Amino acid sequence: LLSEGLEQVFRKLGKRGKLSESDVRNCLRDIRRVLLEADVNYKVTREFIERVGEKAIGAKVLKSLTPAQQVIKIVYDELTYLMGGSAVGINFSPAPPTVIMLVGLQGGGKTTVAAKLARYFRSKGKSPMLVAVDTRRPAAVEQLRVLGLALDVPVHSPDANTDPIDICTDAVTAARRSGLDLLILDTAGRLHVDQEMMEELVKIRERVRPHEILLVADGMTGQDAVNIAGEFHERLGFDGVILTKLDGDARGGAALSIRTVTGKPIKFVGVGEKVDALEVFHPERMASRILG
Amino acid sequence: IKGHRTLDEEVLDEIEATLLQADVGPETTSKIISRIRERGRREKMEGLKAVKKVVKEEILAIMDSAPTADMSHSMSIPRPYVIMVVGVNGTGKTTTAGKLARKFGKEGKKVLLAAADTFRAAATEQLEIWAKRTGADIVRHKSGSDPAAVAFDALSAALSRRTDILIIDTAGRLHTRTNLMEQLKKIKRVLGGLLEGAPHEALLVLDATTGQNAIPQVDYFNQAVGISGIVLSKLDGTAKGGVVIAIRDRLSIPLRMIGIGEGPDDLRDFDPSEFVEALFG
Ligand SMILES: Nc1nc2c(ncn2[C@@H]2O[C@H](COP(=O)(O)OP(=O)(O)OP(=O)(O)O)[C@@H](O)[C@H]2O)c(=O)[nH]1
Ligand SMILES: Nc1nc2c(ncn2[C@@H]2O[C@H](COP(=O)(O)OP(=O)(O)OP(=O)(O)O)[C@@H](O)[C@H]2O)c(=O)[nH]1
Ligand SMILES: [Mg+2]
Ligand SMILES: [Mg+2]
């Protein structure tokens, strides 16, 4: 971890009430394994361990904690700091309707999240409309219609026109006409490496100008989280992330991976199949979860 | 000697990075690396290429360690052959059920689909479209009804209609939801009560993008209903699905098939050597 020069300095400081290098090294070896078990990406883990190593080595020894406990505390604080520290609200437009666009891989939970967001923002005084932009998946439109019906939230679905861009622009017109101030676009799941499908999202973004693009990612995603988020970030760009299915026992290391690689905040987490199972993201809770 | 050892450590680091980034997980990765070190003491292994070859052999040994029963059947199989499709939310169960209906339909088999997901919005409608697409029949109840009742009705229908293959699509459920796992056990009991030996297959559909959580998923589902095989879906993405090596090593459940797309023909038999090559690709 340290250069030869620093090592020399270190050996001299050794027993002076500072965390010794070997204390830190041994602890970090275990922490590395914990993070990998928690699905934090390999390169993100390596970078993170180096960062923590720098903070921990030479840190003043606290009387109430063992060296290992102290390193863990530094790790926990660093994790919390890295994943937090951003405004996690949604940017509402001064000129309604505000448009939120949901994107992500197949099966991540977008359609369910769309309904959850509609319910959440309605409880905050907004008048939402759901837009079924997925014309590919069998019964996707029906799925959103059923969810909207149960919530008594209007759902704009494609008529004869199945062009995703037209569906969205028609929805904006319809929302304005009805005085609705929030549009939630539920797009089809797609692979980040599907050029054509990623291009479709770029075209929707350019024509419809959403105020907020949210990546909906499965909370049990492993190492691939960096590729998925990285590609969506580069090709399309997004403002925040919603991590789903965290009601299970997945550790959720993808949260740190995505945040590290894109710099974008996690805004909400999905914690169940029902429409009320949506929570605002708490970085300290995620940090404890990742550390197991 | 000292120079040689340093090179091997660099090579091992690179192998370790590849395996970890493929979701093989730290425990199974260190197990594989230890085996490589062991073999390195007994046999000559110089350079990355040689070590990679040995790693591939070791992984293949794990992947091939249990017999892969062939799903394209002989005449002696029970009729109907009952396949239950299970797994956590969003992994591709309904789509896989549809792909299986296509596969068996093409083999000239009479297929019946059972819409036993009575909970999720438009789950039945989704499966109905797959039935139309693949020429399979479908049994469904209204939303909110008992999934075990759907399974029972479907099996009764399959028996009376002399169906060859009955595929039961179940609702996604997190393995940590005890009540939902109990529901799955009930479906299994009901099937076995009507036809001894049913379900003949319980396929767990696992999303290739899933990390280490795949291990408890397989473990819990296996304890609940006994998993006869895994289908690894969404391998057309960039995820390597390396966690199946850890699963095979610990639970020896065979990996049967892979999903490589959203269309009806995007289902392949699992090929261990192709899989191992792709890990290092
Ligand atoms: N347990 C749990 N299940 C969830 C959560 N969010 C979504 N799901 C479930 O995950 C499955 C997939 O959800 P969908 O909303 O259909 O996912 P999607 O991203 O729209 O899928 P595609 O449109 O096919 O890409 C469904 O069974 C949902 O009920 C969550 O937070 N917890
Ligand atoms: N790219 C790709 N997508 C797939 C594959 N298998 C399924 N999907 C997609 O994944 C999404 C979820 O598929 P479903 O079949 O609804 O998954 P499920 O497990 O039945 O979901 P729930 O019933 O809600 O738990 C859909 O958009 C499918 O088209 C695959 O092999 N590759
Ligand atoms: Mg959807
Ligand atoms: Mg389904």
Side-chain angles (χ1 to χ4, degrees):
Chain A
L1 280 172
L2 305 178
S3 70
E4 283 229 81
L6 275 177
E7 277 212 22
Q8 289 283 359
V9 174
F10 216 73
R11 243 171 254 132
K12 294 206 190 93
L13 291 178
K15 303 284 176 280
R16 255 204 247 158
K18 294 205 202 286
L19 283 178
S20 81
E21 192 198 334
S22 65
D23 289 333
V24 173
R25 266 194 198 281
N26 290 328
C27 191
L28 289 184
R29 215 181 330 259
D30 294 335
I31 299 277
R32 176 180 178 263
R33 181 159 202 155
V34 165
L35 294 178
L36 291 169
E37 288 285 353
D39 290 325
V40 178
N41 178 265
Y42 174 79
K43 291 197 174 118
V44 170
T45 299
R46 190 173 56 201
E47 207 176 291
F48 178 83
I49 294 292
E50 276 176 33
R51 242 180 116 105
V52 169
E54 287 169 10
K55 289 217 157 118
I57 290 173
K60 197 156 153 293
V61 172
L62 300 176
K63 285 202 174 59
S64 52
L65 302 175
T66 66
Q69 283 175 334
Q70 192 157 342
V71 176
I72 291 169
K73 176 162 188 339
I74 293 172
V75 169
Y76 173 81
D77 289 345
E78 190 65 15
L79 270 177
T80 305
Y81 169 72
L82 284 175
M83 289 192 294
S86 283
V88 289
I90 297 292
N91 306 309
F92 285 100
S93 167
T98 295
V99 181
I100 297 176
M101 180 175 164
L102 300 178
V103 302
L105 256 61
Q106 291 92 344
K110 297 172 293 298
T111 304
T112 309
V113 163
K116 288 178 178 181
L117 288 175
R119 181 188 169 281
Y120 177 81
F121 286 117
R122 188 178 51 192
S123 74
K124 304 274 179 214
K126 298 289 173 198
S127 332
M129 169 186 266
L130 289 164
V131 187
V133 194
D134 183 354
T135 54
R136 298 171 88 238
R137 168 174 154 156
V141 173
E142 181 62 10
Q143 185 184 3
L144 195 63
R145 285 198 30 243
V146 170
L147 291 171
L149 202 67
L151 279 175
D152 193 20
V153 165
V155 178
H156 180 92
S157 50
D159 41 29
N161 195 335
T162 55
D163 179 78
I165 299 176
D166 292 339
I167 297 168
C168 295
T169 51
D170 288 349
V172 175
T173 309
R176 284 207 182 102
R177 211 170 35 230
S178 317
L180 300 173
D181 60 10
L182 177 63
L183 265 186
I184 300 166
L185 311 178
D186 176 27
T187 68
R190 67 204 65 217
L191 292 178
H192 51 299
V193 289
D194 185 331
Q195 301 302 337
E196 212 175 300
M197 290 300 282
M198 292 304 287
E199 190 54 31
E200 176 184 278
L201 289 180
V202 174
K203 289 204 187 91
I204 295 175
R205 190 198 66 209
E206 285 170 354
R207 279 287 302 281
V208 181
R209 301 262 158 228
H211 303 90
E212 190 91 17
I213 299 180
L214 298 174
L215 176 69
V216 177
D218 194 318
M220 31 178 153
T221 308
Q223 298 290 310
D224 205 38
V226 297
N227 301 323
I228 298 165
E231 201 60 30
F232 271 87
H233 178 59
E234 269 184 47
R235 278 302 299 277
L236 175 71
F238 55 88
D239 304 292
V241 180
I242 299 185
L243 210 55
T244 62
K245 307 177 200 171
L246 287 182
D247 42 317
D249 58 358
R251 299 271 288 282
L256 181 63
S257 303
I258 295 173
R259 171 66 161 173
T260 302
V261 163
T262 65
K264 298 300 175 185
I266 296 175
K267 302 203 172 190
F268 294 97
V269 294
V271 292
E273 295 191 68
K274 303 222 169 83
V275 266
D276 57 1
L278 185 77
E279 287 177 2
V280 168
F281 178 69
H282 292 285
E284 66 291 336
R285 286 190 211 165
M286 197 73 224
S288 321
R289 185 186 183 118
I290 289 175
L291 290 179
Chain B
I1 296 295
K2 198 164 194 291
H4 186 157
R5 190 155 293 155
T6 318
L7 171 62
D8 283 346
E9 281 311 313
E10 265 186 45
V11 167
L12 287 179
D13 280 350
E14 191 160 335
I15 300 283
E16 189 199 46
T18 302
L19 296 178
L20 288 173
Q21 291 181 94
D23 283 312
V24 176
E27 187 174 321
T28 304
T29 297
S30 74
K31 189 169 175 186
I32 292 172
I33 298 288
S34 306
R35 283 239 259 286
I36 304 306
R37 276 189 211 281
E38 247 175 73
R39 284 186 60 170
R41 286 183 207 114
R42 291 181 277 122
E43 56 195 90
K44 192 164 180 288
M45 229 188 280
E46 287 195 27
L48 185 60
K49 207 152 174 272
V51 179
K52 261 190 191 171
K53 182 167 177 291
V54 174
V55 179
K56 289 178 186 177
E57 285 172 16
E58 285 298 322
I59 296 175
L60 270 175
I62 297 171
M63 296 311 290
D64 278 345
S65 57
T68 299
D70 191 354
M71 271 188 77
S72 50
H73 310 288
S74 64
M75 278 295 117
S76 61
I77 62 149
R79 196 203 221 172
Y81 193 75
V82 183
I83 301 169
M84 209 167 128
V85 183
V86 303
V88 305
N89 307 73
T91 58
K93 299 174 292 299
T94 305
T95 306
T96 300
K99 291 173 182 177
L100 287 169
R102 163 61 58 99
K103 169 186 153 78
F104 291 119
K106 272 167 119 182
E107 290 171 16
K109 303 266 190 331
K110 193 157 154 26
V111 181
L112 178 64
L113 286 165
D117 179 355
T118 55
F119 169 76
R120 209 211 66 212
T124 314
E125 286 79 354
Q126 185 185 3
L127 194 67
E128 281 186 305
I129 291 170
W130 277 101
K132 284 205 190 73
R133 258 183 201 174
T134 58
D137 287 332
I138 182 165
V139 163
R140 53 160 300 183
H141 286 193
K142 64 178 168 50
S143 166
S145 37
D146 182 1
V150 179
F152 185 90
D153 281 358
L155 184 49
S156 313
L159 285 163
S160 67
R161 295 179 205 177
R162 317 208 72 222
T163 298
D164 295 309
I165 314 276
L166 169 61
I167 302 166
I168 303 173
D169 179 29
T170 66
R173 69 203 66 220
L174 294 185
H175 52 289
T176 45
R177 292 284 306 272
T178 320
N179 56 335
L180 296 180
M181 297 307 283
E182 284 305 312
Q183 183 191 78
L184 212 54
K185 287 184 194 171
K186 181 178 174 201
I187 296 174
K188 177 176 182 180
R189 269 199 309 278
V190 157
L191 292 170
L194 187 54
L195 174 66
E196 194 177 337
H200 306 98
E201 295 270 8
L203 293 179
L204 179 87
V205 180
L206 197 56
D207 188 326
T209 64
T210 305
Q212 298 309 298
N213 197 244
I215 300 171
Q217 282 178 31
V218 178
D219 192 17
Y220 280 55
F221 275 92
N222 190 41
Q223 286 187 37
V225 297
I227 298 299
S228 57
I230 294 171
V231 177
L232 191 59
S233 67
K234 310 181 196 173
L235 260 186
D236 45 321
T238 51
K240 303 284 184 167
V243 67
V244 296
I245 302 170
I247 291 168
R248 182 67 153 194
D249 192 39
R250 290 189 215 186
L251 301 166
S252 60
I253 291 172
L255 176 42
R256 285 293 187 68
M257 310 183 112
I258 62 173
I260 53 161
E262 302 185 72
D265 295 308
D266 295 329
L267 188 69
R268 298 284 142 82
D269 285 339
F270 174 66
D271 180 337
S273 25
E274 224 174 62
F275 176 79
V276 171
E277 284 303 315
L279 273 185
F280 288 92

